[in-house]
Amino acid sequence: MSSQHAKQLRAPLFEAMVAHHDRNPASFHVPGHKSGQGLLDEGTSFLKTVMSIDYTEITGLDDLHHAEGVIREAEQLAADCFGAEETYFLIGGSTVGNLAMISAVCGKDDIILVQRNVHKSVIHGLMLAGAKAVFIAPGIHPETGVATSLYIEDVKQALVLYPEAKGLFITNPNYYGNGVNLKPFAELMHQQGKLLLVDEAHGAHYGFHHEVPASALSQGADAVVQSTHKMLTAMTMGAMLHVQGPRIDRRAIQQLLAMLQSSSPSYPIMASLDLARKRMHIEGRNWLDHGLAVVKEFRSLLDGLTVFGYHPREILVNQSQEVQTADPFKIAIYDATNTLSGTELKERLEAQNCFVEMTDGRQVLLVFTPASTREDMLRIVEALTNICLDVPIQKKELQAPISNILKLPYYTPISSPVAFDMKDISKASRDSVFSQVSVQGAVGKRSADMVIPYPPGIPYLYPGEIISASVAEALLQLAANGIKFQGTEFGQTQKLKIYT
């Protein structure tokens, strides 16, 4: 066994935590629960084990914000595993990674090209930096109506219009697992001395198997954030920020992460990152083989349930540029008889104890991972089979069929620079220079809220953005289908807050 392989078999941070636990130490430091000793009885069976290794920065366990020991070693192993030059553990999810990437690249009034359908954390990063975004609208997939990724021709045009832009921020893959090949985008940006930043939150498993897409790092991205908790085995909020090449300011990244992350980071979350990396290092391909086998069997069984449709990879990955890559672990299904909405299908599944990732009002999104079991897969097949028996009866009573194509709002392909300044937004809120009006009355006015259907957490409106008729129509459609919203009271009031 080579020394490098021997290192890959280790989980240095987790091992150090276990070794400390095995010493049966007396704790005279935080946290206050004292390795779980302070738990109420009802919490013991669930929390005692993990809280017994819920440590802080004591001798031998290193410091996330000045890593020199086992945390540093764990991060270096993660960089080796995922193909980065340097990796940073995140205990605030991909959110904190997006904040750090934006703030490391942009200062006040700097311009950056941004994919329009990014996660809200990217917008928050722009606000903190005081930067300006030139939004580039994504394509719309004709089979689903779902927003996909960017056309490289639009990016080229945006660079002609705004050559001072610091770089491009892109989400790849999106919530549904759809994406593009990033290599042409990386080459385009690097030819002009600019950066490619990628929110790869849903792609931590990319690059480990020939049946899943290549990773953003392997295609040349300068900085990439991955939610290790979404598709791999880290605890919720466990994520990683990977960097490579000379263009990204690594010192700035480190300083920002120290500012943005808690000074009391979760050791259980970091240990789970260490163990998630170890699994991918030693059995990543074989583990994905297992998960892919479960997904393939599910698709074959789903084909036998003619009531339900889904969009197979062969349709999603087509010759136009709407979608070039598709994650086989993400499956969006819908009622092909146009009887049940996505919201109704979600409720039917939950009534049978099968909980899905999200609904967009027309489809429900199923997220499989390499950890998905055949037993769980068969449970949802049984639930869908039961629903199939009811749908023909309901269809007879249905007055008007629903549409399974989403009506997304129209956005201009390339926006003019949109300024995001937290001070301006805070001042407007303090001065109460806004009012609430009906959706129809808001058309043509400037939004005073960030309006975010959640999940997936992608804003439909930003503060200061002009509310178009197509956006208003799309919001009403989402509300009618029971979609929840963040950042606004629109879901309860059916009114939008506008600047006056």
Side-chain angles (χ1 to χ4, degrees), residues 8-287:
Q8 294 171 0
L9 294 177
R10 293 195 59 216
L13 174 58
F14 176 71
E15 291 166 9
M17 292 166 65
V18 170
H20 185 78
H21 173 271
D22 290 346
R23 294 173 62 180
N24 192 27
S27 169
F28 298 96
H29 54 78
V30 297
H33 58 72
K34 300 300 181 184
S35 299
Q37 293 172 175
L39 284 171
L40 289 170
D41 291 343
E42 58 262 40
T44 300
S45 61
F46 287 100
L47 297 176
K48 177 74 173 181
T49 300
V50 69
M51 290 178 82
S52 70
I53 57 168
D54 184 22
Y55 294 130
T56 188
E57 297 91 341
I58 53 178
T59 301
L61 297 187
D62 208 358
D63 179 351
L64 176 65
H65 300 302
H66 190 73
E68 297 177 314
V70 288
I71 294 177
R72 182 62 180 151
E73 184 181 353
E75 289 179 328
Q76 288 172 338
L77 285 168
D80 177 64
C81 180
F82 292 96
E85 290 178 1
E86 198 158 1
T87 290
Y88 308 99
F89 281 181
L90 308 177
I91 45 84
S94 285
T95 290
V96 74
N98 285 335
L99 296 176
M101 283 196 295
I102 292 289
S103 298
V105 172
C106 295
K108 185 169 175 55
D109 294 329
D110 282 340
I111 289 177
I112 184 169
L113 310 181
V114 179
Q115 182 173 330
R116 179 59 175 74
N117 56 325
V118 289
H119 190 261
K120 61 181 179 177
S121 59
V122 178
I123 307 306
H124 293 156
L126 294 167
M127 290 178 178
L128 291 174
K132 296 179 179 179
V134 170
F135 287 115
I136 305 177
I140 303 297
H141 193 269
E143 298 288 337
T144 64
V146 170
T148 57
S149 195
L150 303 183
Y151 296 105
I152 196 164
E153 292 79 9
D154 288 339
V155 177
K156 290 178 180 178
Q157 180 62 26
L159 286 171
V160 171
L161 294 172
Y162 304 101
E164 70 273 33
K166 294 289 186 176
L168 170 66
F169 193 105
I170 191 168
T171 300
N172 200 72
N174 66 11
Y175 216 86
Y176 295 84
N178 304 330
V180 294
N181 297 316
L182 290 174
K183 189 173 182 180
F185 291 88
E187 291 174 346
L188 173 65
M189 303 312 293
H190 294 166
Q191 286 167 4
Q192 301 195 33
K194 303 180 188 301
L195 294 100
L196 176 62
L197 311 178
V198 181
D199 180 347
E200 198 177 39
H202 290 264
H205 59 307
Y206 276 20
F208 286 92
H209 195 285
H210 68 277
E211 293 186 33
V212 300
S215 69
L217 284 168
S218 70
Q219 295 178 85
D222 298 282
V224 179
V225 67
Q226 295 177 338
S227 288
T228 321
H229 68 93
K230 290 189 188 301
M231 297 300 294
L232 302 183
T233 59
M235 292 174 65
T236 297
M237 293 176 67
M240 298 185 191
L241 174 56
H242 308 291
V243 299
Q244 65 179 356
R247 299 172 190 86
I248 192 79
D249 186 340
R250 301 185 194 185
R251 179 61 180 165
I253 289 282
Q254 293 168 355
Q255 290 176 334
L256 285 160
L257 289 177
M259 294 167 59
L260 295 166
Q261 299 204 97
S262 171
S263 59
S264 301
S266 167
Y267 271 78
I269 290 177
M270 290 190 289
S272 74
L273 288 169
D274 198 14
L275 290 171
R277 184 278 314 160
K278 178 181 176 180
R279 168 148 241 171
M280 298 309 291
H281 239 153
I282 65 177
E283 56 175 341
R285 179 183 173 83
N286 291 337
W287 193 46

Side-chain angles (χ1 to χ4, degrees), residues 364-386:
V364 295
L365 179 64
L366 309 182
V367 177
F368 289 81
T369 76
S372 296
T373 65
R374 185 171 185 268
E375 291 72 22
D376 280 349
M377 180 271 291
L378 292 175
R379 288 179 66 183
I380 197 166
V381 170
E382 180 182 7
L384 291 169
T385 302
N386 292 336

Side-chain angles (χ1 to χ4, degrees), residues 409-466:
Y410 171 79
Y411 296 108
T412 181
I414 302 171
S415 78
S416 56
V418 179
F420 288 94
D421 194 315
M422 198 66 204
K423 291 180 180 178
D424 290 344
I425 294 169
S426 298
K427 183 178 186 300
S429 297
R430 288 195 306 270
D431 296 345
S432 299
V433 290
F434 53 78
S435 62
Q436 283 191 326
V437 298
S438 68
V439 177
Q440 293 81 2
V443 173
K445 307 296 195 303
R446 290 191 304 129
S447 175
D449 275 337
M450 191 185 302
V451 182
I452 310 165
Y454 192 87
I458 296 169
Y460 268 45
L461 282 172
Y462 303 130
E465 185 172 14
I466 298 296

